[in-house]
Amino acid sequence: MDKTDDVVSLIECVNFAANKHKDQRRKDQDATPYINHPIGVARILTNEAGITDTATIQAALLHDTVEDTNTTFDEIESAFGAEVRSIVAEVTDDKTLPKMERKRLQIENASKKSRKAKLVKLADKLYNLRDLERCTPEGWTRERVDDYFVWAGRVVDGLRGTNLQLEDELDKLLVKRGVLTDSSVENK
């Protein structure tokens, strides 16, 4: 694929994700348009992790479509190919399972993911933790935010060795929140 094809396919992907998430909002006080999240995850990958692989960026843009909209994996494959489908499938929780089981499986399966799926997961966790630092979602208690940081730290532990820049940024947030200590970061 040449650069023109890459740009066209990325814009198609942004458009696809925007249409799928068009009626959704984040749970912050401003009810931010949900599409800001997958675009932000893709931006973290390109601007902070130096990732320019088109399939990884597309998967970042689409990472919540199957989980949170009426999108199917077949639809993603038809529009963006088998590789993007595979990455999205790796980072998609099975919503038929109870929430605590889904969270447990994210921790358990983090180390088993492909490098590209791990990159998307790291950027997703970084975006979410930064968002929680910025504001508390509607209906969330301080304890729920703290629990999310602890859980995210356990997921990140399984993703380590994938991208030092993202892991360092996540560690800064986890240390600031008291989930990690400076000495435990030095020993990683």
Side-chain angles (χ1 to χ4, degrees):
M1 199 182 298
D2 69 19
K3 277 202 171 293
T4 302
D5 291 340
D6 284 347
V7 170
V8 169
S9 68
L10 285 170
I11 296 302
E12 282 303 310
C13 192
V14 170
N15 186 65
F16 181 95
N19 283 330
K20 291 294 185 172
H21 291 296
K22 71 181 182 333
D23 296 324
Q24 295 175 314
R25 299 281 180 192
R26 294 284 279 180
K27 294 177 182 174
D28 58 10
Q29 294 94 334
D30 297 331
T32 309
Y34 192 86
I35 191 61
N36 292 7
H37 170 66
I39 291 171
V41 171
R43 185 175 187 279
I44 287 170
L45 286 171
T46 58
N47 287 6
E48 296 181 52
I51 304 301
T52 57
D53 173 68
T54 301
T56 304
I57 303 306
Q58 286 177 309
L61 292 164
L62 300 170
H63 78 274
D64 280 336
T65 55
V66 173
E67 212 171 289
D68 295 339
T69 74
N70 64 355
T71 306
T72 66
F73 291 119
D74 288 341
E75 192 176 0
I76 288 174
E77 184 169 350
S78 176
F80 306 105
E83 182 180 19
V84 174
R85 174 201 177 122
S86 176
I87 300 165
V88 172
E90 283 189 82
V91 300
T92 298
D93 285 347
D94 179 352
K95 287 288 205 112
T96 65
L97 298 174
K99 182 179 182 177
M100 293 312 292
E101 178 67 3
R102 293 192 312 261
K103 291 179 84 157
R104 185 189 69 75
L105 287 171
Q106 277 200 43
I107 295 166
E108 183 179 305
N109 295 326
S111 65
K112 302 171 191 169
K113 305 222 176 284
S114 68
R115 181 174 187 279
K116 292 179 181 187
K118 286 178 178 180
L119 286 166
V120 173
K121 279 299 234 191
L122 284 167
D124 181 41
K125 293 297 179 250
L126 182 54
Y127 185 99
N128 286 337
L129 294 181
R130 285 175 173 167
D131 217 30
L132 287 172
E133 280 288 294
R134 182 180 61 81
C135 70
T136 301
E138 294 288 327
W140 281 43
T141 63
R142 168 93 176 167
E143 181 181 20
R144 184 170 176 191
V145 171
D146 290 343
D147 288 346
Y148 187 92
F149 270 83
V150 170
W151 168 75
R154 293 183 67 200
V155 174
V156 167
D157 283 343
L159 303 170
R160 291 193 183 279
T162 304
N163 184 280
L164 188 58
Q165 295 93 323
L166 296 182
E167 292 164 34
D168 284 349
E169 289 301 311
L170 282 154
D171 286 345
K172 288 176 192 173
L173 290 169
L174 295 170
V175 166
K176 180 178 177 184
R177 200 63 174 214
V179 174
L180 284 177
T181 63
D182 287 324
S183 62
S184 64
V185 170
E186 291 168 10
N187 294 328
K188 291 206 183 257

